[in-house]
Amino acid sequence: MNYFAPVRDMEFVINELAGLAGIAALPGFEEATPDLVNAVLEEAGKFSSEVLAPLNKTGDREGSRLVDGKVVVPTGFTEAYEQFVECGWLGLGKDVDFGGQGLPHLVVTAVEEMWNASNLSFSLCPLLTSGAVAALQRHASDDLKATYVEKMVNGHWAGTMNLTEPQAGSDLAAIRTEAVPEGDHYRLRGQKIFITWGDQEMTENVIHLVLARLPDAPAGVRGISLFLVPKYMVEEDGGIGARNDIFVVSLEHKLGVHASPTCTIALGDTEGAVGYLIGEAHSGLACMFTMMNAARLGTGLQGVAIADRAYQQAVAYAKERVQGSSPGTEGRVTIIHHADVRRMLMLMRSQTEAMRAVAYVTAALLDQAGHSPDKQQRQASQQRVDLMTPIAKAWCTEVAQEVTTLGVQVHGGMGFIEDTGSAQHYRDGRITTIYEGTTGIQAGDLVGRKILRDEGQGMRSLLDDIRAFEDSMPDGDDRLAVLRRELKSGREALGEVTEWLLESAKTDENAAGSVSVNLLMLMGTVIGGWQMARAATLATGKLDSGAADSSFYETKLTTARFYAEQIMPRVRAYRDAVTAGSENIMALSEQQF
Ligand SMILES: Cc1cc2nc3c(=O)[nH]c(=O)nc-3n(C[C@H](O)[C@H](O)[C@H](O)COP(=O)(O)OP(=O)(O)OC[C@H]3O[C@@H](n4cnc5c(N)ncnc54)[C@H](O)[C@@H]3O)c2cc1C
């Protein structure tokens, strides 16, 4: 089965909801013509289906291994990576000055959804390289950029993100890796853990971005600096030089993404690993945030992708598996005839569509933030991206947990058996709420930095936009009534919890932490509902004007209405949980647990 061809929904979301035409009209995106975008999606669909997808299950079974200090990737991965590089896929959205193709984030987002859906483990490698390129372009010296960026953009060298240490996970203030100045460079010593694609032999070089402390660094996050540490030193002429003192010492055995090597890395066990400062001393976390923000949106997209893959697989199974009988159908039926199986498939489908819309609309905002000729528009778009980033990351990945677990459930006992692949999506998807900042950390970012810090200003502007959309919905159209009603109710609940938080945080120091995840889930659900209401409104317009492809628009109207009826009521439960406050969350003493 071809799971990864650019599905109709992706085209709809890119063009109609995220407004590709408007994005393509921004300066710098002249290349993004509809024909080119369609051709890119078509080719990406083929590459995902034909090259990456067949390696997903075998990669899971084989896993990556450490043999004589070298990371050995599963069969076929090296050849697939070579093809990936030959096709220039890594450069799709990168700066043309560094050999990229300069296409909008919006287009890259759709392409990356396909990589992720077809083979999440493989996709993590280019995803991290992309994040490292973004950080280098923004913060590195011209010399570093000239030496490293182009080879990363063309995929010959890969990038990694080295933050985590045994005592420093969510709390990066606890980082201990040391960097001591030596001439024009630094010597780094320390240990990093859980480093995704921390090494491999598919690329000629691996460029690690490493957080470490200088000897005079102040304590805490203000004392962290960012360094570029190459696996192999780079000669004056750009060629590969001596091996640097940075080595993988072990790989983790883990629940999912088995093909992606998760490495423990030793820096400087002998002479010290040579590293180069990126940006200013002690401002490493800010530099790394460029990489982390890109990776957070990328991780949210992994949630969308794995959910869609789980859905497509569940539908295929539900159409084949014969079991029981159902009202109005003669004899034994395939399980898709059962109302409860329909319920599960609709939960999977409608939420995946809502997540896709949220992720792509955020990508379009990112394009506006970077390319709009109007400064105010750039700032407003960036403010909205900042507000949306924890939603795109944490809400999409949390919902993906529900969708992938339903995928297992649709398969019954076979879902629990590895052969169907359904269990792999469930296992692979499980990491997405953990890395790049757990859901709790994203929710803390949302309430602390994005709501309390500007006293709710960004949120109120979002609420105004939702309200303006509600007012623009055609009056008296019965097909849209439930969407309108639920969106209004959801927007009001979001406004209510925002004001509750702003008020409660003044007197209760546990308020923000206690309610943050429920608030985040409420917000994600409402924004998903907003996008589904937009989609449904567009669909009714298309149907009324007799557009071709009426089946797609009828389906969209139904999935949107289902979302309004079956998902939006969750907003009320989240609201009640938020406004119940922290009292009983915090009431037990530590001993009482
Ligand atoms: C497969 C995999 C790949 C990874 N890839 C990379 C990588 O490439 N590079 C890299 O640097 N790291 C990577 N990581 C590390 C990952 O980012 C961390 O595991 C993650 O940030 C959580 O840190 P931790 O594991 O130390 O958990 P902890 O920080 O110990 O958290 C444990 C629990 O406590 C909660 N918690 C902790 N602090 C707070 C707080 N302040 N407020 C509220 N709740 C809190 C968390 O939400 C979580 O539920 C990877 C991890 C895995 C498993």
Side-chain angles (χ1 to χ4, degrees):
M1 172 175 300
N2 184 350
Y3 285 109
F4 316 105
V7 288
R8 180 71 181 90
D9 195 53
M10 289 168 107
E11 293 170 355
F12 172 75
V13 176
I14 290 178
N15 291 307
E16 310 286 342
L17 288 184
L20 177 63
I23 298 297
L26 295 173
F29 289 146
E30 292 77 13
E31 299 285 311
T33 60
D35 282 352
L36 181 97
V37 172
N38 285 342
V40 166
L41 295 183
E42 185 71 32
E43 282 308 307
K46 262 196 221 154
F47 191 84
S48 301
S49 309
E50 293 168 13
V51 181
L52 299 183
L55 301 176
N56 196 38
K57 196 182 274 187
T58 52
D60 181 55
R61 294 247 163 101
E62 253 184 76
S64 282
R65 293 167 300 129
L66 192 64
V67 180
D68 299 331
K70 292 196 166 160
V71 173
V72 178
V73 296
T75 310
F77 270 55
T78 302
E79 294 75 11
Y81 190 83
E82 273 166 19
Q83 272 182 271
F84 190 83
V85 168
E86 264 167 39
C87 297
W89 285 118
L90 231 151
L92 210 57
K94 311 284 185 304
D95 203 328
V96 283
D97 293 342
F98 290 96
Q101 293 158 56
L103 287 179
H105 285 291
L106 179 55
V107 177
V108 177
T109 294
V111 170
E112 284 182 356
E113 185 189 328
M114 294 188 228
W115 306 151
N116 291 327
S118 56
N119 195 326
L120 186 56
S121 284
F122 179 94
S123 313
L124 294 176
C125 186
L127 175 82
L128 283 155
T129 305
S130 295
V133 166
L136 288 173
Q137 278 196 332
R138 179 96 176 262
H139 303 287
S141 66
D142 288 344
D143 273 358
L144 285 181
K145 281 192 230 180
T147 309
Y148 293 95
V149 173
E150 194 163 338
K151 292 206 165 103
M152 295 169 78
V153 167
N154 65 27
H156 290 125
W157 297 356
T160 74
M161 181 165 96
N162 282 244
L163 285 66
T164 308
E165 299 179 8
Q167 76 296 343
S170 302
D171 182 8
L172 294 172
I175 279 176
R176 288 193 199 132
T177 296
E178 275 187 338
V180 177
E182 185 185 89
D184 68 344
H185 57 263
Y186 295 78
R187 291 275 176 186
L188 281 83
R189 291 182 177 81
Q191 190 196 49
K192 296 287 175 182
I193 61 166
F194 294 164
I195 307 307
T196 297
W197 285 102
D199 197 11
Q200 35 72 25
E201 306 293 316
M202 302 189 301
T203 57
E204 294 159 5
N205 207 351
V206 181
I207 311 305
H208 302 280
L209 298 202
V210 182
L211 286 182
R213 286 183 181 285
L214 294 168
D216 61 346
V221 284
R222 287 180 205 287
I224 297 173
S225 305
L226 181 62
F227 298 88
L228 183 156
V229 182
K231 173 179 173 182
Y232 292 103
M233 304 306 296
V234 179
E235 304 283 356
E236 287 282 308
D237 64 358
I240 296 290
R243 185 74 166 82
N244 199 4
D245 188 7
I246 177 166
F247 291 93
V248 173
V249 292
S250 63
L251 300 189
E252 303 295 346
H253 292 280
K254 51 198 196 297
L255 181 67
V257 287
H258 289 156
S260 158
T262 304
C263 308
T264 299
I265 292 188
L267 290 110
D269 268 2
T270 50
E271 71 268 29
V274 173
Y276 306 96
L277 184 66
I278 299 171
E280 299 291 315
H282 312 318
S283 66
L285 207 58
C287 301
M288 194 58 123
F289 256 104
T290 305
M291 182 164 186
M292 276 152 64
N293 279 333
R296 284 176 175 181
L297 295 177
T299 308
L301 190 65
Q302 291 167 23
V304 181
I306 207 88
D308 194 68
R309 177 95 191 249
Y311 166 72
Q312 292 198 38
Q313 177 142 359
V315 169
Y317 188 77
K319 287 182 176 174
E320 277 167 18
R321 171 74 173 159
V322 175
Q323 204 69 189
S325 58
S326 87
T329 312
E330 286 279 302
R332 298 179 77 226
V333 296
T334 50
I335 60 171
I336 200 165
H337 286 86
H338 298 306
D340 186 55
V341 173
R342 292 295 187 102
R343 176 191 64 84
M344 290 192 276
L345 293 175
M346 287 299 286
L347 282 171
M348 296 174 81
R349 178 168 181 152
S350 68
Q351 293 192 93
T352 303
E353 287 180 7
M355 288 193 279
R356 178 175 295 119
V358 168
Y360 287 31
V361 165
T362 308
L365 283 165
L366 201 58
D367 287 323
Q368 278 165 8
H371 286 253
S372 172
D374 175 19
K375 189 174 171 205
Q376 256 183 335
Q377 170 78 60
R378 284 201 304 276
Q379 283 170 345
S381 299
Q382 188 58 53
Q383 188 188 36
R384 185 61 59 80
V385 170
D386 293 344
L387 185 64
M388 289 295 295
T389 299
I391 301 297
K393 198 283 179 182
W395 179 71
C396 288
T397 57
E398 286 291 338
V399 173
Q401 306 310 309
E402 180 185 344
V403 174
T404 53
T405 199
L406 283 167
V408 171
Q409 194 70 16
V410 169
H411 285 76
M414 285 309 288
F416 202 69
I417 309 299
E418 290 288 355
D419 298 13
T420 60
S422 172
Q424 187 189 346
H425 306 321
Y426 170 73
R427 290 186 288 100
D428 283 355
R430 190 62 192 85
I431 186 59
T432 58
T433 63
I434 298 172
Y435 59 19
E436 299 305 339
T438 62
T439 301
I441 295 299
Q442 302 301 321
D445 177 51
L446 174 68
V447 296
R449 289 196 200 88
K450 313 289 164 67
I451 301 179
L452 291 172
R453 187 179 282 175
D454 74 357
E455 297 179 347
Q457 198 199 321
M459 181 70 99
R460 289 194 196 101
S461 144
L462 174 82
L463 292 166
D464 287 346
D465 287 355
I466 300 178
R467 185 178 189 136
F469 168 72
E470 282 166 39
D471 293 344
S472 76
M473 285 176 85
D475 257 342
D477 187 333
D478 284 352
R479 295 169 297 179
L480 298 173
V482 66
L483 287 142
R484 188 183 197 145
R485 192 174 67 237
E486 286 296 336
L487 186 56
K488 177 171 185 290
S489 160
R491 172 186 45 83
E492 286 171 354
L494 185 53
E496 194 184 325
V497 294
T498 302
E499 299 308 323
W500 181 93
L501 173 72
L502 291 167
E503 212 38 51
S504 305
K506 289 181 191 156
T507 52
D508 176 4
E509 60 184 11
N510 288 316
S514 301
V515 307
S516 58
V517 168
N518 281 320
L519 197 152
L520 180 146
M521 294 304 289
L522 187 162
M523 185 173 163
T525 309
V526 172
I527 296 176
W530 176 25
Q531 297 310 326
M532 290 303 263
R534 290 184 62 217
T537 307
L538 284 160
T540 51
K542 297 275 184 191
L543 287 168
D544 293 346
S545 64
D549 208 2
S550 61
S551 168
F552 173 80
Y553 295 113
E554 280 160 10
T555 308
K556 180 59 82 179
L557 191 54
T558 303
T559 53
R561 286 165 53 84
F562 176 92
Y563 187 97
E565 287 170 358
Q566 302 286 331
I567 305 295
M568 288 297 276
R570 296 180 185 184
V571 166
R572 296 188 279 273
Y574 289 131
R575 180 201 55 200
D576 291 353
V578 169
T579 54
S582 70
E583 188 183 339
N584 286 308
I585 292 177
M586 299 304 292
L588 297 187
S589 68
E590 200 172 330
Q591 293 70 31
Q592 286 173 307
F593 276 100

